[in-house]
Amino acid sequence: MKLTILGGGGFRVPLVYGALLGDHADGRVTRVVLHDVDAGRLRAIARVLAERAAGVPDAPEVTATTDLDEALRGADFVFSAIRVGGLEGRADDERIALAEGVLGQETVGAGGIAFGLRTVPVAVDIARRVARLAPDAWVINFTNPAGLVTEAMSRHLGDRVIGICDSPVGLGRRVARVLGARPAEAWVDYVGLNHLGWVRGLRIAGRDELPRLLADPVLLGSFEEGRLFGADWLRSLGAIPNEYLHYYYFNREAVHAYREAGRTRGAFLRDQQAGFYAGVADPAVPALELWDRTRAEREATYMAENREAAGAGEREAEDLSGGYENVALALMRAIARDERATLILNVRNRGTLAALDGDAVIEVPCLVDAHGAHPVAVDPLPGHATGLVCAVKAVEREVLDAARSGSRTAAVKAFALHPLVDSVNVARRLVDGYAAVHPGLAYLR
Ligand code: G6P
Ligand code: MN
């Protein structure tokens, strides 16, 4: 089986490859083709993979190319994990938004819109090529903003593109852990959009255990989201939000913390990763070791500003390995071998949330088999959550419209309609500011 990884020179590719190395069953991936626009990054990651594969007799063969069509031809699965504009672009997204006093996070608020505007045209081009060159392939989209990008690609690939994120999985795992259950035996009632969802219940042997958690301040203080949002607010909500909702519920504090920070997340990662890729270019440097050290530092500092603003302290050791690669592998196995699995994924709504149309991509538990991912029926969200989901989906639709038509007016509308952008004038200046620095936005007229 051939797996093509787009963004194959990306820093998290060794995680995916590591998961593949642990799969020895029939029907496993035997060939990995890395594609990237940057040959130097491909060489660096290929070195890390080679060191990881040492001593594994059935390690998947790895090749690398900068030719997209060649990479796609004959693929059974395509992982798309690209970053249009690189980490420099991410840092610009943050800087320009913060200068206007609004959030510039890569998936939430103004930053997510800017990132979406330059990523969607590239993702659509990839989707078209997949439809032509590998029409039977399944596309697993990691590219952020993952829900929006998956929806853009689904217009060309239908249900053959599935978006993934590890944040709902991590949340479900933590809630199960504090309730003393094994994650595998818990049913997590979670729904929303990517980075905008809520756990409304957690059933163990058919019984909802979430009320027990919400009633217990000690349990609530014992895991990441409990500390981030605080026991009082979680009790008021009657649900546990995805960690990214911290940017909404505590927006003022989050913006303040990001403005005060010496460097934004994007700027930190830009510098950190530049050091890593430069280091690996030196053949005397042990590549895997450097990669692992860099990864540990990246994970330890994830959402540090939010945790600081909330007084939430350090991350738990168990939370430091995200599990993003395991979701990807579980999804691929379920499809390729018809091993039924339940996974929280980004798929087309198809009637699951009545407030959204059938083509809107949502994040929801899905039953996965050889025919793909099928969203399970869930209870409706409460009014305030439905409001937020609809508002953000409307923003995503403006982004898709701007990317399709090249309309600057649609781009302004996307920023202006976002709940975390507080003025139409700010939206106009954001479009000007982003268009001035991002070559990927030259299409806006
Ligand atoms: C979480 C999110 C991902 C994001 C990742 C890395 O897992 O769900 O969407 O890509 O964190 O975040 P970072 O800030 O380290 O790039
Ligand atoms: Mn994510």
Side-chain angles (χ1 to χ4, degrees), residues 302-364:
Y302 174 66
M303 284 188 114
E305 284 77 14
N306 303 68
R307 280 184 284 111
E308 203 180 303
E314 302 289 295
R315 298 184 81 195
E316 308 265 338
E318 299 106 308
D319 294 337
L320 292 178
S321 49
Y324 132 114
E325 64 281 15
N326 298 326
V327 190
L329 186 66
L331 173 57
M332 209 162 52
R333 290 175 70 138
I335 293 176
R337 296 172 219 170
D338 203 16
E339 284 174 7
R340 285 172 66 93
T342 308
L343 298 166
I344 298 174
L345 300 167
N346 288 268
V347 296
R348 291 197 287 190
N349 178 37
R350 290 175 261 177
T352 312
L353 288 179
L356 296 175
D357 61 74
D359 292 337
V361 165
I362 63 168
E363 192 164 82
V364 63

Short mmCIF file of all heavy atoms in Angstrom, two decimals, residues 302-364:
data_model
loop_
_atom_site.label_atom_id
_atom_site.label_comp_id
_atom_site.label_asym_id
_atom_site.label_seq_id
_atom_site.Cartn_x
_atom_site.Cartn_y
_atom_site.Cartn_z
N TYR A 302 3.39 24.02 24.35
CA TYR A 302 2.11 24.15 23.64
C TYR A 302 1.10 24.92 24.49
O TYR A 302 0.88 24.59 25.65
CB TYR A 302 1.61 22.73 23.33
CG TYR A 302 0.24 22.66 22.72
CD1 TYR A 302 0.00 23.17 21.44
CD2 TYR A 302 -0.81 22.09 23.42
CE1 TYR A 302 -1.26 23.09 20.89
CE2 TYR A 302 -2.07 22.00 22.86
CZ TYR A 302 -2.29 22.51 21.60
OH TYR A 302 -3.54 22.44 21.05
N MET A 303 0.48 25.94 23.92
CA MET A 303 -0.54 26.76 24.59
C MET A 303 -0.05 27.35 25.93
O MET A 303 -0.84 27.54 26.85
CB MET A 303 -1.84 25.98 24.80
CG MET A 303 -2.65 25.84 23.52
SD MET A 303 -4.29 25.14 23.78
CE MET A 303 -5.33 26.53 23.35
N ALA A 304 1.25 27.61 26.00
CA ALA A 304 1.83 28.10 27.26
C ALA A 304 1.19 29.41 27.70
O ALA A 304 0.91 29.61 28.89
CB ALA A 304 3.33 28.27 27.11
N GLU A 305 0.91 30.31 26.75
CA GLU A 305 0.33 31.61 27.12
C GLU A 305 -1.05 31.44 27.74
O GLU A 305 -1.41 32.13 28.69
CB GLU A 305 0.25 32.55 25.91
CG GLU A 305 1.58 33.16 25.48
CD GLU A 305 2.45 32.19 24.71
OE1 GLU A 305 1.94 31.13 24.28
OE2 GLU A 305 3.66 32.49 24.57
N ASN A 306 -1.85 30.52 27.16
CA ASN A 306 -3.19 30.30 27.70
C ASN A 306 -3.10 29.73 29.10
O ASN A 306 -3.83 30.13 30.00
CB ASN A 306 -3.99 29.33 26.81
CG ASN A 306 -4.06 29.82 25.38
OD1 ASN A 306 -3.05 29.85 24.68
ND2 ASN A 306 -5.23 30.22 24.94
N ARG A 307 -2.19 28.77 29.27
CA ARG A 307 -2.06 28.14 30.59
C ARG A 307 -1.59 29.17 31.60
O ARG A 307 -2.05 29.20 32.74
CB ARG A 307 -1.12 26.94 30.52
CG ARG A 307 -1.85 25.70 29.97
CD ARG A 307 -1.00 24.45 29.96
NE ARG A 307 -0.03 24.46 28.89
CZ ARG A 307 1.27 24.58 29.03
NH1 ARG A 307 1.79 24.68 30.24
NH2 ARG A 307 2.07 24.61 27.98
N GLU A 308 -0.71 30.05 31.16
CA GLU A 308 -0.22 31.08 32.07
C GLU A 308 -1.34 32.05 32.44
O GLU A 308 -1.53 32.39 33.60
CB GLU A 308 0.93 31.82 31.40
CG GLU A 308 1.85 32.48 32.39
CD GLU A 308 2.97 33.19 31.68
OE1 GLU A 308 3.68 32.52 30.91
OE2 GLU A 308 3.10 34.42 31.86
N ALA A 309 -2.11 32.47 31.43
CA ALA A 309 -3.21 33.40 31.70
C ALA A 309 -4.21 32.79 32.67
O ALA A 309 -4.83 33.50 33.48
CB ALA A 309 -3.91 33.77 30.38
N ALA A 310 -4.39 31.47 32.61
CA ALA A 310 -5.37 30.80 33.47
C ALA A 310 -4.76 30.31 34.77
O ALA A 310 -5.47 29.78 35.63
CB ALA A 310 -5.98 29.62 32.71
N GLY A 311 -3.45 30.47 34.92
CA GLY A 311 -2.77 29.92 36.10
C GLY A 311 -2.85 28.41 36.13
O GLY A 311 -2.95 27.78 37.19
N ALA A 312 -2.82 27.80 34.94
CA ALA A 312 -3.05 26.35 34.84
C ALA A 312 -1.78 25.51 35.02
O ALA A 312 -1.86 24.29 35.10
CB ALA A 312 -3.69 26.01 33.50
N GLY A 313 -0.62 26.15 35.11
CA GLY A 313 0.62 25.39 35.35
C GLY A 313 1.11 24.64 34.12
O GLY A 313 0.70 24.89 33.00
N GLU A 314 1.99 23.67 34.40
CA GLU A 314 2.62 22.90 33.33
C GLU A 314 1.69 21.83 32.77
O GLU A 314 0.73 21.46 33.43
CB GLU A 314 3.88 22.19 33.87
CG GLU A 314 4.93 23.12 34.46
CD GLU A 314 5.64 23.93 33.41
OE1 GLU A 314 6.35 23.34 32.58
OE2 GLU A 314 5.49 25.17 33.40
N ARG A 315 2.02 21.31 31.60
CA ARG A 315 1.25 20.18 31.05
C ARG A 315 1.59 18.89 31.79
O ARG A 315 2.69 18.74 32.31
CB ARG A 315 1.57 20.00 29.56
CG ARG A 315 1.20 21.18 28.72
CD ARG A 315 1.46 20.87 27.26
NE ARG A 315 0.38 20.10 26.66
CZ ARG A 315 0.46 19.46 25.50
NH1 ARG A 315 1.59 19.45 24.83
NH2 ARG A 315 -0.57 18.81 25.01
N GLU A 316 0.64 17.97 31.81
CA GLU A 316 0.89 16.66 32.41
C GLU A 316 1.79 15.83 31.49
O GLU A 316 1.67 15.93 30.26
CB GLU A 316 -0.43 15.88 32.54
CG GLU A 316 -1.52 16.61 33.23
CD GLU A 316 -1.60 16.28 34.70
OE1 GLU A 316 -1.11 15.21 35.09
OE2 GLU A 316 -2.16 17.10 35.44
N ALA A 317 2.62 14.99 32.09
CA ALA A 317 3.53 14.16 31.29
C ALA A 317 2.75 13.33 30.26
O ALA A 317 3.17 13.18 29.12
CB ALA A 317 4.35 13.25 32.20
N GLU A 318 1.60 12.80 30.69
CA GLU A 318 0.82 11.93 29.77
C GLU A 318 0.29 12.68 28.57
O GLU A 318 -0.10 12.08 27.57
CB GLU A 318 -0.40 11.32 30.47
CG GLU A 318 -0.10 10.43 31.65
CD GLU A 318 -0.43 11.12 32.97
OE1 GLU A 318 0.05 12.26 33.18
OE2 GLU A 318 -1.17 10.54 33.75
N ASP A 319 0.19 14.01 28.68
CA ASP A 319 -0.39 14.79 27.58
C ASP A 319 0.65 15.22 26.56
O ASP A 319 0.33 15.86 25.56
CB ASP A 319 -1.08 16.05 28.14
CG ASP A 319 -2.29 15.68 28.99
OD1 ASP A 319 -2.83 14.57 28.81
OD2 ASP A 319 -2.68 16.50 29.83
N LEU A 320 1.92 14.87 26.83
CA LEU A 320 2.98 15.42 25.99
C LEU A 320 3.15 14.69 24.66
O LEU A 320 3.83 15.17 23.78
CB LEU A 320 4.31 15.43 26.75
CG LEU A 320 4.34 16.44 27.91
CD1 LEU A 320 5.66 16.35 28.65
CD2 LEU A 320 4.10 17.87 27.44
N SER A 321 2.54 13.53 24.51
CA SER A 321 2.57 12.90 23.18
C SER A 321 1.15 12.97 22.64
O SER A 321 0.28 12.23 23.08
CB SER A 321 3.07 11.47 23.27
OG SER A 321 2.39 10.80 24.29
N GLY A 322 0.94 13.90 21.75
CA GLY A 322 -0.39 14.27 21.28
C GLY A 322 -1.26 13.11 20.83
O GLY A 322 -2.42 13.00 21.20
N GLY A 323 -0.69 12.21 20.04
CA GLY A 323 -1.50 11.08 19.59
C GLY A 323 -2.07 11.30 18.20
O GLY A 323 -2.86 10.51 17.71
N TYR A 324 -1.61 12.38 17.54
CA TYR A 324 -2.13 12.74 16.23
C TYR A 324 -1.84 11.64 15.20
O TYR A 324 -2.69 11.28 14.40
CB TYR A 324 -1.54 14.12 15.92
CG TYR A 324 -0.89 14.48 14.64
CD1 TYR A 324 -1.50 15.43 13.81
CD2 TYR A 324 0.35 13.98 14.26
CE1 TYR A 324 -0.86 15.85 12.66
CE2 TYR A 324 0.98 14.42 13.12
CZ TYR A 324 0.37 15.34 12.32
OH TYR A 324 0.98 15.76 11.19
N GLU A 325 -0.64 11.03 15.36
CA GLU A 325 -0.26 9.96 14.44
C GLU A 325 -1.13 8.72 14.66
O GLU A 325 -1.41 7.97 13.73
CB GLU A 325 1.23 9.63 14.61
CG GLU A 325 1.65 9.05 15.97
CD GLU A 325 1.81 10.11 17.08
OE1 GLU A 325 1.34 11.25 16.89
OE2 GLU A 325 2.39 9.76 18.12
N ASN A 326 -1.55 8.50 15.92
CA ASN A 326 -2.37 7.31 16.19
C ASN A 326 -3.76 7.44 15.61
O ASN A 326 -4.35 6.46 15.16
CB ASN A 326 -2.44 7.05 17.69
CG ASN A 326 -1.06 6.78 18.27
OD1 ASN A 326 -0.22 6.18 17.59
ND2 ASN A 326 -0.81 7.24 19.47
N VAL A 327 -4.31 8.66 15.62
CA VAL A 327 -5.62 8.87 14.99
C VAL A 327 -5.50 8.58 13.49
O VAL A 327 -6.34 7.89 12.90
CB VAL A 327 -6.12 10.32 15.16
CG1 VAL A 327 -7.56 10.44 14.71
CG2 VAL A 327 -5.98 10.80 16.59
N ALA A 328 -4.43 9.08 12.89
CA ALA A 328 -4.24 8.89 11.45
C ALA A 328 -4.12 7.41 11.12
O ALA A 328 -4.75 6.92 10.17
CB ALA A 328 -2.99 9.63 11.00
N LEU A 329 -3.32 6.69 11.91
CA LEU A 329 -3.12 5.27 11.62
C LEU A 329 -4.41 4.49 11.85
O LEU A 329 -4.78 3.63 11.04
CB LEU A 329 -1.98 4.71 12.50
CG LEU A 329 -1.60 3.27 12.17
CD1 LEU A 329 -0.97 3.18 10.78
CD2 LEU A 329 -0.62 2.71 13.21
N ALA A 330 -5.12 4.79 12.94
CA ALA A 330 -6.38 4.08 13.23
C ALA A 330 -7.38 4.30 12.10
O ALA A 330 -8.07 3.37 11.67
CB ALA A 330 -6.95 4.57 14.56
N LEU A 331 -7.43 5.53 11.59
CA LEU A 331 -8.36 5.84 10.50
C LEU A 331 -7.98 5.05 9.24
O LEU A 331 -8.84 4.45 8.57
CB LEU A 331 -8.31 7.35 10.23
CG LEU A 331 -9.08 7.86 9.02
CD1 LEU A 331 -10.55 7.48 9.09
CD2 LEU A 331 -8.94 9.39 8.91
N MET A 332 -6.70 5.04 8.93
CA MET A 332 -6.24 4.36 7.72
C MET A 332 -6.48 2.85 7.81
O MET A 332 -6.93 2.22 6.86
CB MET A 332 -4.75 4.65 7.55
CG MET A 332 -4.32 4.63 6.13
SD MET A 332 -2.77 5.47 5.94
CE MET A 332 -1.76 4.69 7.15
N ARG A 333 -6.22 2.29 8.99
CA ARG A 333 -6.45 0.85 9.18
C ARG A 333 -7.92 0.50 9.05
O ARG A 333 -8.29 -0.50 8.44
CB ARG A 333 -5.97 0.42 10.56
CG ARG A 333 -4.47 0.43 10.71
CD ARG A 333 -4.07 0.12 12.13
NE ARG A 333 -4.34 -1.27 12.44
CZ ARG A 333 -3.51 -2.04 13.14
NH1 ARG A 333 -2.38 -1.55 13.58
NH2 ARG A 333 -3.80 -3.30 13.39
N ALA A 334 -8.77 1.34 9.64
CA ALA A 334 -10.21 1.06 9.61
C ALA A 334 -10.70 1.03 8.16
O ALA A 334 -11.49 0.17 7.78
CB ALA A 334 -10.96 2.10 10.43
N ILE A 335 -10.21 1.95 7.35
CA ILE A 335 -10.65 2.01 5.95
C ILE A 335 -10.02 0.87 5.14
O ILE A 335 -10.71 0.13 4.45
CB ILE A 335 -10.31 3.38 5.33
CG1 ILE A 335 -11.13 4.48 5.98
CG2 ILE A 335 -10.56 3.35 3.82
CD1 ILE A 335 -10.80 5.88 5.51
N ALA A 336 -8.71 0.73 5.27
CA ALA A 336 -7.99 -0.22 4.41
C ALA A 336 -8.35 -1.67 4.72
O ALA A 336 -8.37 -2.52 3.85
CB ALA A 336 -6.49 -0.01 4.54
N ARG A 337 -8.63 -1.96 6.01
CA ARG A 337 -8.86 -3.37 6.39
C ARG A 337 -10.28 -3.61 6.86
O ARG A 337 -10.58 -4.66 7.40
CB ARG A 337 -7.89 -3.76 7.50
CG ARG A 337 -6.47 -3.71 7.03
CD ARG A 337 -5.52 -3.92 8.19
NE ARG A 337 -4.37 -3.06 8.04
CZ ARG A 337 -3.45 -2.85 8.96
NH1 ARG A 337 -3.55 -3.44 10.12
NH2 ARG A 337 -2.44 -2.04 8.74
N ASP A 338 -11.13 -2.61 6.71
CA ASP A 338 -12.51 -2.73 7.14
C ASP A 338 -12.59 -3.14 8.62
O ASP A 338 -13.44 -3.93 9.02
CB ASP A 338 -13.25 -3.74 6.25
CG ASP A 338 -14.76 -3.50 6.27
OD1 ASP A 338 -15.19 -2.41 6.70
OD2 ASP A 338 -15.51 -4.41 5.86
N GLU A 339 -11.67 -2.58 9.42
CA GLU A 339 -11.72 -2.82 10.87
C GLU A 339 -12.57 -1.71 11.46
O GLU A 339 -12.12 -0.56 11.52
CB GLU A 339 -10.31 -2.68 11.49
CG GLU A 339 -9.38 -3.82 11.25
CD GLU A 339 -7.95 -3.54 11.76
OE1 GLU A 339 -7.70 -2.50 12.42
OE2 GLU A 339 -7.09 -4.35 11.46
N ARG A 340 -13.76 -2.01 11.87
CA ARG A 340 -14.65 -0.95 12.35
C ARG A 340 -14.06 -0.23 13.57
O ARG A 340 -13.57 -0.86 14.47
CB ARG A 340 -16.02 -1.52 12.68
CG ARG A 340 -16.83 -1.83 11.43
CD ARG A 340 -18.09 -2.55 11.79
NE ARG A 340 -18.99 -1.72 12.57
CZ ARG A 340 -19.96 -0.97 12.04
NH1 ARG A 340 -20.16 -0.98 10.74
NH2 ARG A 340 -20.74 -0.23 12.80
N ALA A 341 -14.09 1.11 13.51
CA ALA A 341 -13.55 1.90 14.62
C ALA A 341 -14.43 3.12 14.81
O ALA A 341 -15.12 3.55 13.87
CB ALA A 341 -12.12 2.34 14.29
N THR A 342 -14.44 3.67 16.02
CA THR A 342 -15.13 4.93 16.27
C THR A 342 -14.08 5.99 16.53
O THR A 342 -13.26 5.84 17.43
CB THR A 342 -16.05 4.81 17.50
OG1 THR A 342 -16.88 3.68 17.33
CG2 THR A 342 -16.91 6.05 17.65
N LEU A 343 -14.10 7.05 15.72
CA LEU A 343 -13.10 8.11 15.84
C LEU A 343 -13.78 9.45 15.68
O LEU A 343 -14.75 9.57 14.92
CB LEU A 343 -12.03 7.96 14.74
CG LEU A 343 -11.20 6.67 14.74
CD1 LEU A 343 -10.46 6.52 13.41
CD2 LEU A 343 -10.23 6.68 15.91
N ILE A 344 -13.28 10.47 16.37
CA ILE A 344 -13.81 11.82 16.20
C ILE A 344 -13.09 12.45 15.01
O ILE A 344 -11.86 12.59 15.03
CB ILE A 344 -13.64 12.66 17.48
CG1 ILE A 344 -14.42 12.01 18.63
CG2 ILE A 344 -14.11 14.10 17.25
CD1 ILE A 344 -14.23 12.65 19.99
N LEU A 345 -13.86 12.79 13.98
CA LEU A 345 -13.27 13.21 12.70
C LEU A 345 -14.01 14.42 12.13
O LEU A 345 -15.11 14.75 12.57
CB LEU A 345 -13.36 12.05 11.70
CG LEU A 345 -12.64 10.76 12.10
CD1 LEU A 345 -13.06 9.60 11.21
CD2 LEU A 345 -11.13 10.94 12.07
N ASN A 346 -13.39 15.02 11.14
CA ASN A 346 -14.03 16.14 10.44
C ASN A 346 -14.59 15.64 9.12
O ASN A 346 -13.84 15.29 8.20
CB ASN A 346 -13.00 17.25 10.21
CG ASN A 346 -12.66 17.96 11.50
OD1 ASN A 346 -13.27 18.97 11.85
ND2 ASN A 346 -11.71 17.42 12.25
N VAL A 347 -15.92 15.59 9.06
CA VAL A 347 -16.62 15.04 7.89
C VAL A 347 -17.83 15.93 7.58
O VAL A 347 -18.22 16.76 8.39
CB VAL A 347 -17.12 13.60 8.16
CG1 VAL A 347 -15.96 12.65 8.40
CG2 VAL A 347 -18.09 13.57 9.34
N ARG A 348 -18.43 15.67 6.41
CA ARG A 348 -19.62 16.45 6.06
C ARG A 348 -20.78 16.10 7.00
O ARG A 348 -20.98 14.94 7.37
CB ARG A 348 -19.99 16.20 4.60
CG ARG A 348 -18.93 16.81 3.67
CD ARG A 348 -19.43 16.97 2.26
NE ARG A 348 -19.52 15.68 1.59
CZ ARG A 348 -19.75 15.56 0.29
NH1 ARG A 348 -19.91 16.64 -0.47
NH2 ARG A 348 -19.82 14.37 -0.26
N ASN A 349 -21.52 17.11 7.35
CA ASN A 349 -22.56 17.05 8.37
C ASN A 349 -23.67 16.03 8.07
O ASN A 349 -24.07 15.26 8.94
CB ASN A 349 -23.14 18.47 8.49
CG ASN A 349 -24.27 18.59 9.47
OD1 ASN A 349 -24.28 17.95 10.51
ND2 ASN A 349 -25.24 19.41 9.13
N ARG A 350 -24.15 16.01 6.82
CA ARG A 350 -25.20 15.07 6.42
C ARG A 350 -26.35 14.98 7.44
O ARG A 350 -26.76 13.89 7.84
CB ARG A 350 -24.61 13.67 6.21
CG ARG A 350 -23.74 13.60 4.97
CD ARG A 350 -23.07 12.24 4.84
NE ARG A 350 -21.71 12.28 5.34
CZ ARG A 350 -20.90 11.22 5.40
NH1 ARG A 350 -21.31 10.04 5.02
NH2 ARG A 350 -19.68 11.34 5.85
N GLY A 351 -26.80 16.13 7.94
CA GLY A 351 -27.97 16.10 8.82
C GLY A 351 -27.69 15.92 10.30
O GLY A 351 -28.61 15.94 11.12
N THR A 352 -26.41 15.75 10.66
CA THR A 352 -26.10 15.50 12.08
C THR A 352 -26.47 16.70 12.96
O THR A 352 -27.12 16.53 13.99
CB THR A 352 -24.59 15.19 12.24
OG1 THR A 352 -24.21 14.23 11.26
CG2 THR A 352 -24.29 14.66 13.62
N LEU A 353 -26.02 17.89 12.57
CA LEU A 353 -26.40 19.10 13.29
C LEU A 353 -27.43 19.84 12.43
O LEU A 353 -27.10 20.33 11.35
CB LEU A 353 -25.18 20.00 13.55
CG LEU A 353 -24.16 19.52 14.60
CD1 LEU A 353 -23.00 20.50 14.73
CD2 LEU A 353 -24.82 19.30 15.97
N ALA A 354 -28.65 19.93 12.95
CA ALA A 354 -29.75 20.47 12.14
C ALA A 354 -29.55 21.93 11.77
O ALA A 354 -30.09 22.41 10.77
CB ALA A 354 -31.07 20.29 12.91
N ALA A 355 -28.74 22.65 12.57
CA ALA A 355 -28.56 24.08 12.30
C ALA A 355 -27.66 24.34 11.09
O ALA A 355 -27.59 25.46 10.59
CB ALA A 355 -27.98 24.77 13.54
N LEU A 356 -26.94 23.30 10.63
CA LEU A 356 -26.02 23.47 9.49
C LEU A 356 -26.50 22.65 8.31
O LEU A 356 -27.16 21.63 8.47
CB LEU A 356 -24.61 23.01 9.88
CG LEU A 356 -23.91 23.78 11.00
CD1 LEU A 356 -22.58 23.10 11.34
CD2 LEU A 356 -23.67 25.23 10.60
N ASP A 357 -26.12 23.08 7.09
CA ASP A 357 -26.51 22.30 5.91
C ASP A 357 -25.68 21.02 5.81
O ASP A 357 -24.69 20.85 6.51
CB ASP A 357 -26.38 23.16 4.65
CG ASP A 357 -24.96 23.62 4.42
OD1 ASP A 357 -24.13 22.79 4.01
OD2 ASP A 357 -24.67 24.80 4.67
N GLY A 358 -26.10 20.15 4.91
CA GLY A 358 -25.51 18.82 4.81
C GLY A 358 -24.05 18.79 4.39
O GLY A 358 -23.32 17.85 4.70
N ASP A 359 -23.58 19.82 3.67
CA ASP A 359 -22.20 19.83 3.17
C ASP A 359 -21.21 20.49 4.13
O ASP A 359 -20.00 20.47 3.88
CB ASP A 359 -22.14 20.58 1.83
CG ASP A 359 -22.86 19.81 0.73
OD1 ASP A 359 -23.00 18.57 0.89
OD2 ASP A 359 -23.30 20.44 -0.25
N ALA A 360 -21.72 21.09 5.19
CA ALA A 360 -20.84 21.75 6.15
C ALA A 360 -19.99 20.70 6.85
O ALA A 360 -20.53 19.74 7.39
CB ALA A 360 -21.66 22.52 7.17
N VAL A 361 -18.67 20.89 6.86
CA VAL A 361 -17.81 19.93 7.57
C VAL A 361 -17.86 20.24 9.07
O VAL A 361 -17.69 21.40 9.48
CB VAL A 361 -16.37 19.96 7.02
CG1 VAL A 361 -15.39 19.26 7.96
CG2 VAL A 361 -16.35 19.28 5.64
N ILE A 362 -18.14 19.20 9.85
CA ILE A 362 -18.20 19.33 11.31
C ILE A 362 -17.24 18.31 11.93
O ILE A 362 -16.71 17.45 11.24
CB ILE A 362 -19.63 19.09 11.85
CG1 ILE A 362 -20.10 17.64 11.56
CG2 ILE A 362 -20.61 20.09 11.25
CD1 ILE A 362 -21.37 17.25 12.31
N GLU A 363 -17.04 18.43 13.25
CA GLU A 363 -16.19 17.47 13.96
C GLU A 363 -17.08 16.66 14.89
O GLU A 363 -17.74 17.21 15.77
CB GLU A 363 -15.11 18.22 14.75
CG GLU A 363 -14.01 17.34 15.28
CD GLU A 363 -12.80 18.17 15.71
OE1 GLU A 363 -12.80 18.70 16.84
OE2 GLU A 363 -11.84 18.31 14.91
N VAL A 364 -17.09 15.35 14.70
CA VAL A 364 -18.11 14.51 15.34
C VAL A 364 -17.61 13.07 15.40
O VAL A 364 -16.82 12.65 14.54
CB VAL A 364 -19.43 14.64 14.51
CG1 VAL A 364 -19.26 14.10 13.09
CG2 VAL A 364 -20.62 13.98 15.19
#
